[in-house]
């Protein structure tokens, strides 16, 4: 299973939002998963050591500081130490290959030859980040000799390494700075967040249950595409898999789930007890389905007919799917496999990730109204989420309870997965600001997003990217995180 990441939006401010975030974390604990793995190796040219005896101890001191900073990050770090020649570089490459890293960081402490690091990038089958962090902001030219200067020469081989990587067909990424420069470390940390996304998508198990919403051609996804692009697995499920588990849910378990829901949601007067109990029963069964199949995401849809069991199962998913999403197992309706993957990526940067589409445009206020019926990520809500009873789900069969809330006011980032004619996937992002104003009260997650331009022009630009009908909405500014993650995943990034 994929990397554990925050199950709630980390950008929540103090006060009620923070209290709700803490409550959700306590009531809906995230499943234990594989941690992100980062490989670390430092190096310099061994020819220097006998010539300048004080140089290597100084460089190893810098390497120890870098290793300590990495150990403080939310990742499992494999530090293979310091290399001084091509033979040691090859040995480090083998260690890192066995470690199955999601990202490898090469710390160039001084000049080294590209032959020392090419095997690491070539044999490890992991993306590589080159960092060069000199000891301080500048040299003391009056007192420095050659040995002291060489400790500041980590930038010297960066163009050489970049050239060799390009000639070898290896994407080149680098962060240059000085050892305690926090702005440089913020850039490095962005690559670690991107590694979280890569780790999650590499090892994720995506559940796909039911069938595509009739006529939505954009939703259809080649099931080979995700394993081929990311390495993840798609588990094809039947609604019978859910039915079998629903039949085994006891009345006591249903009552317990209803009590949990009352702690998480405000119940509207429109909620019918029978529908609430059915949603709670389906929720218990969904938890078992996810556990039994080891799922990291779930996309589903079933049309049904005339109130039969499978129609009721499809209509009873929203409560349980929203609770799963809050736990860090994103769920998406309408068979939206690519959107559930986008929600997982949003989850990895600690920003929520709620199932979203365009609802309407408000040209007077200059906003795009967004939201969706079905499951939403509770952590992005501006208030206690509401359970509302619906006599009909628009465009779908069935009836029951739906989740309603408005998104926290402030910055948000959209992430969708686009697909081109050749089948290749892309990350598509846009950053906007959720602003106050009138919202529908129809059992949907809703928001008014200001993109700083005419809303009609924004829709045209967004639709031209190949993003598809749905996407993930996350709290905060994260386009740079997703652009960085796309680099590690080897896919395009398009920003509107």
């Amino acid at each position: 299973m994929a990397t554990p990441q925050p199950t709630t939006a980390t950008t929540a401010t103090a006060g009620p939002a923070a209290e709700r975030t803490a409550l959700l974390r306590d009531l809906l604990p995230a499943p234990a998963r594989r941690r992100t793995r980062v490989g670390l190796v430092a190096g310099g040219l061994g020819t220097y050591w006998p010539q300048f005896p004080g140089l290597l101890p100084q460089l190893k001191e810098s390497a120890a500081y870098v290793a300590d900073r990495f150990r403080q990050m939310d990742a499992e770090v494999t530090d293979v130490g310091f290399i001084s020649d091509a033979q040691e570089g090859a040995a480090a490459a083998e260690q890192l290959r066995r470690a199955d890293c999601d990202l490898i960081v090469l710390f160039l402490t001084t000049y080294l030859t590209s032959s020392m690091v090419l095997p690491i990038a070539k044999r490890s089958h992991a993306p590589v980040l080159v960092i060069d962090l000199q000891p301080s902001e500048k040299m003391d030219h009056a007192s420095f000799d050659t040995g002291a200067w060489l400790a500041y020469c980590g930038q010297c081989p960066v163009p050489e390494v970049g050239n060799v990587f390009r000639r070898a067909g290896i994407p080149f990424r680098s962060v240059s700075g000085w050892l305690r420069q926090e702005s440089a470390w913020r850039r490095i940390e962005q690559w670690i967040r991107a590694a979280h996304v890569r780790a999650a998508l590499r090892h994720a198990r995506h559940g796909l249950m039911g069938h595509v919403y009739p006529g939505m051609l954009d939703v259809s996804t080649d099931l080979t595409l995700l394993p081929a692009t990311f390495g993840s697995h798609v588990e094809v499920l039947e609604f019978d898999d859910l039915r079998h588990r629903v039949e085994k849910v006891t009345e006591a378990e249903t009552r317990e789930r209803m009590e949990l829901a009352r702690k998480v949601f405000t119940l509207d007067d429109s909620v019918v007890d029978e529908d609430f109990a059915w949603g709670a029963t389906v929720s218990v069964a969904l938890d078992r389905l996810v556990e039994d199949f080891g799922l990291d995401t779930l996309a589903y849809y079933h049309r049904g007919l005339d109130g039969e069991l499978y129609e009721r199962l499809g209509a009873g998913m929203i409560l349980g799917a929203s609770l799963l999403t809050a736990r860090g197992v994103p769920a998406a309706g309408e068979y939206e496999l690519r959107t559930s993957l986008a929600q997982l990526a949003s989850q990895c940067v600690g920003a929520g990730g709620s199932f979203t589409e365009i609802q309407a445009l408000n040209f007077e206020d200059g906003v795009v109204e967004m939201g969706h019926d079905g499951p939403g990520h509770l952590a992005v809500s501006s208030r206690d989420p509401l359970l509302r009873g619906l006599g009909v789900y628009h465009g779908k069969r069935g009836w029951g309870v739906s989740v309603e809330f408005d998104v926290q006011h402030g910055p948000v980032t959209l992430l969708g997965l686009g697909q081109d004619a050749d089948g290749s996937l892309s990350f598509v992002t846009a950053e906007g600001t959720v602003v106050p104003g009138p919202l529908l009260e129809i059992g949907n997650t809703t928001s008014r997003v200001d993109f700083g331009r005419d809303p009609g022009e924004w829709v045209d630009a967004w639709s031209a990217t190949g993003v598809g009908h749905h996407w993930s909405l996350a709290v905060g500014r994260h386009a740079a995180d997703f652009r960085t993650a796309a680099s590690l995943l080897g896919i395009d990034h398009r920003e509107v």
Side-chain angles (χ1 to χ4, degrees):
M1 296 177 73
T3 304
Q5 299 303 334
T7 59
T8 53
T10 57
T11 51
T13 57
E19 293 175 4
R20 185 173 56 255
T21 295
L23 175 65
L24 292 175
R25 188 180 295 115
D26 291 340
L27 294 176
L28 305 168
R33 293 167 174 163
R34 174 192 180 276
R35 297 188 72 199
T36 300
R37 298 177 183 175
V38 175
L40 179 62
V41 56
L45 186 63
T47 305
Y48 297 147
W49 314 152
Q51 294 176 329
F52 309 100
L55 178 59
L56 181 58
Q58 180 183 3
L59 299 182
K60 286 190 172 181
E61 185 177 333
S62 292
Y65 176 82
V66 168
D68 184 63
R69 288 290 296 253
F70 272 93
R71 281 191 288 268
Q72 296 173 31
M73 298 180 188
D74 182 24
E76 178 183 305
V77 179
T78 298
D79 182 2
V80 299
F82 201 100
I83 62 172
S84 299
D85 55 36
Q87 289 85 355
E88 291 179 0
E94 181 60 21
Q95 286 182 263
L96 293 171
R97 184 190 64 79
R98 291 196 300 266
D100 186 30
C101 298
D102 302 299
L103 175 68
I104 291 174
V105 180
L106 300 175
F107 177 26
L108 310 188
T109 65
T110 185
Y111 176 73
L112 49 66
T113 64
S114 50
S115 65
M116 294 169 59
V117 296
L118 181 60
I120 294 171
K122 197 69 177 175
R123 300 176 190 175
S124 60
H125 305 294
V128 173
L129 171 67
V130 172
I131 65 173
D132 52 281
L133 305 173
Q134 65 186 39
S136 64
E137 291 178 272
K138 63 179 182 178
M139 293 188 293
D140 182 359
H141 296 78
S143 65
F144 271 33
D145 59 11
T146 302
W149 157 63
L150 286 172
Y152 284 72
C153 200
Q155 291 82 8
C156 179
V158 176
E160 175 182 338
V161 173
N163 172 275
V164 171
F165 276 21
R166 178 177 288 271
R167 291 165 68 180
I170 299 169
F172 177 74
R173 313 164 185 89
S174 66
V175 173
S176 299
W178 56 280
L179 199 59
R180 288 170 172 79
Q181 182 184 2
E182 290 306 314
S183 60
W185 279 103
R186 284 193 294 273
R187 293 165 62 198
I188 293 169
E189 288 165 356
Q190 186 170 82
W191 286 106
I192 301 302
R193 288 195 297 274
H196 289 325
V197 177
R198 180 174 187 264
L201 300 192
R202 280 180 69 207
H203 297 277
R205 291 175 54 83
H206 303 289
L208 190 60
M209 184 170 68
H211 61 81
V212 70
Y213 188 100
M216 294 187 73
L217 302 181
D218 68 302
V219 170
S220 178
T221 300
D222 176 3
L223 300 190
T224 307
L225 189 59
L226 298 190
T229 304
F230 305 120
S232 48
H233 171 78
V234 179
E235 185 72 20
V236 177
L237 303 169
E238 303 281 356
F239 261 79
D240 276 324
D241 293 312
L242 180 60
R243 173 195 59 78
H244 176 69
R245 288 161 177 81
V246 164
E247 291 171 350
K248 294 186 176 181
V249 176
T250 66
E251 292 183 4
E253 289 171 328
T254 295
R255 288 194 299 270
E256 183 179 352
R257 185 53 53 94
M258 293 171 73
E259 184 59 30
L260 171 66
R262 290 189 180 96
K263 295 177 182 178
V264 174
F265 298 93
T266 297
L267 267 65
D268 186 74
D269 292 340
S270 59
V271 173
V272 177
D273 287 344
E274 180 182 357
D275 294 343
F276 183 26
W278 176 247
T281 300
V282 174
S283 175
V284 174
L286 277 173
D287 282 1
R288 288 180 180 159
L289 183 78
V290 165
E291 182 177 358
D292 291 346
F293 286 95
L295 302 181
D296 297 291
T297 73
L298 177 65
Y300 65 90
Y301 176 75
H302 184 78
R303 182 170 56 186
L305 187 65
D306 294 335
E308 46 80 37
L309 176 60
Y310 295 99
E311 179 184 304
R312 294 192 63 222
L313 284 171
M317 295 278 290
I318 295 176
L319 171 59
S322 295
L323 293 175
L324 279 176
T325 302
R327 286 180 52 209
V329 183
E334 298 179 15
Y335 214 60
E336 260 287 17
L337 175 60
R338 296 199 307 279
T339 299
S340 66
L341 188 147
Q343 290 174 264
L344 181 61
S346 301
Q347 188 79 36
C348 290
V349 297
S354 202
F355 189 46
T356 305
E357 67 182 1
I358 297 170
Q359 292 181 321
L361 305 182
N362 186 323
F363 288 94
E364 182 176 300
D365 295 342
V367 299
V368 180
E369 298 188 32
M370 293 188 177
H372 210 287
D373 61 357
H377 199 306
L378 308 183
V380 307
S381 176
S382 66
R383 54 182 168 85
D384 289 341
L386 182 76
L387 279 185
R388 183 181 294 278
L390 297 182
V392 62
Y393 295 130
H394 75 275
K396 305 177 182 70
R397 296 186 184 274
W399 63 92
V401 295
S402 188
V403 172
E404 177 180 302
F405 59 78
D406 55 301
V407 175
Q408 297 171 29
H409 298 166
V412 292
T413 303
L414 311 184
L415 172 65
L417 253 71
Q419 187 170 4
D420 292 341
D422 63 359
S424 60
L425 296 173
S426 60
F427 273 1
V428 183
T429 62
E431 292 182 340
T433 303
V434 174
V435 297
L439 298 167
L440 294 171
E441 296 181 355
I442 57 172
N444 282 210
T445 60
T446 54
S447 57
R448 292 159 43 92
V449 188
D450 183 352
F451 291 102
R453 62 191 296 187
D454 177 88
E457 293 178 0
W458 181 87
V459 170
D460 292 339
W462 181 249
S463 302
T465 63
V467 67
H469 189 107
H470 306 96
W471 46 87
S472 169
L473 181 147
V475 174
R477 303 283 188 213
H478 295 285
D481 290 330
F482 296 133
R483 179 174 59 250
T484 307
S487 171
L488 295 189
L489 292 165
I491 62 175
D492 285 344
H493 172 259
R494 298 164 189 170
E495 185 171 3
V496 175

